[in-house]
Amino acid sequence: MADLDVGDLAPQFDLPRDGGGSLSLAASSGKPIVLYFYPQDDTTSCTQEAISFSQLKPEFERAGAVVIGLSPDTVKKHDKFKSKYSLTIDLAADEERKVIEAYHLWVEKSMYGRKYMGVERATFLIGRDGRIARIWRKVRVKGHAEEVLEAVRAL
């Protein structure tokens, strides 16, 4: 299975979201979409990333973009996470990892010599045409949301 690349059509999805209802690419068709994948709610890096995107949400909206965070956590965990940190971005729950796998982000990881499977932190910028405009893999959180915002503005 080949990795996704810039110019590819973004894999479609329709997933449950925080607060009820669902999130899909089709619902935001015609707008740039920032789809960021993260391993788990309420961990240090994931929390910092969600807070950064939330703080910049008005700027993303001014640029016409939608920001969606996606992890394998449940809707209930997403609701608790959003409430605890006053997050304003939308969070999609991919408990079965179908979208995570469609984006080739269910990968082997290693920590302290132990190998395990997990979500690779990555961000996909999807253009108005539904094609992948930019990909950030193995994301480092500091400054990432700002870099993504600049890429959205450059579309």
Side-chain angles (χ1 to χ4, degrees):
M1 190 160 40
D3 273 346
L4 294 170
D5 207 349
V6 170
D8 291 346
L9 276 174
Q12 293 292 315
F13 66 84
D14 191 341
L15 291 172
R17 63 161 297 159
D18 62 279
S22 64
L23 286 169
S24 68
L25 283 187
S28 297
S29 181
K31 295 180 181 180
I33 300 166
V34 174
L35 180 60
Y36 83 91
F37 293 81
Y38 65 99
Q40 186 177 344
D41 288 345
D42 213 2
T43 58
T44 303
S45 292
C46 297
T47 300
Q48 290 171 347
E49 187 174 29
I51 289 170
S52 293
F53 277 116
S54 286
Q55 288 173 337
L56 291 174
K57 184 180 178 186
E59 296 296 319
F60 280 103
E61 288 175 340
R62 271 193 280 287
V66 174
V67 178
I68 300 171
L70 191 150
S71 82
D73 291 305
T74 65
V75 168
K76 187 175 179 179
K77 277 192 78 179
H78 281 340
D79 287 339
K80 189 174 173 184
F81 183 48
K82 280 189 78 162
S83 176
K84 183 175 180 179
Y85 296 100
S86 302
L87 302 175
T88 58
I89 53 170
D90 296 328
L91 299 177
D94 188 15
E95 291 182 68
E96 296 176 4
R97 300 188 313 263
K98 288 181 180 177
V99 178
I100 291 165
E101 290 177 12
Y103 281 79
H104 308 286
L105 297 173
W106 187 247
V107 299
E108 185 177 88
K109 299 172 111 180
S110 176
M111 185 184 297
Y112 306 118
R114 183 178 70 88
K115 293 192 183 300
Y116 62 97
M117 296 300 289
V119 176
E120 178 184 325
R121 187 181 310 281
T123 302
F124 289 75
L125 175 55
I126 301 164
R128 291 174 180 84
D129 60 359
R131 294 192 176 276
I132 297 169
R134 181 119 181 240
I135 302 170
W136 292 263
R137 309 261 337 207
K138 297 182 181 175
V139 166
R140 297 284 179 231
V141 172
K142 186 174 181 169
H144 177 63
E146 292 82 358
E147 183 180 346
V148 173
L149 177 59
E150 289 308 311
V152 167
R153 288 175 172 154
L155 283 180

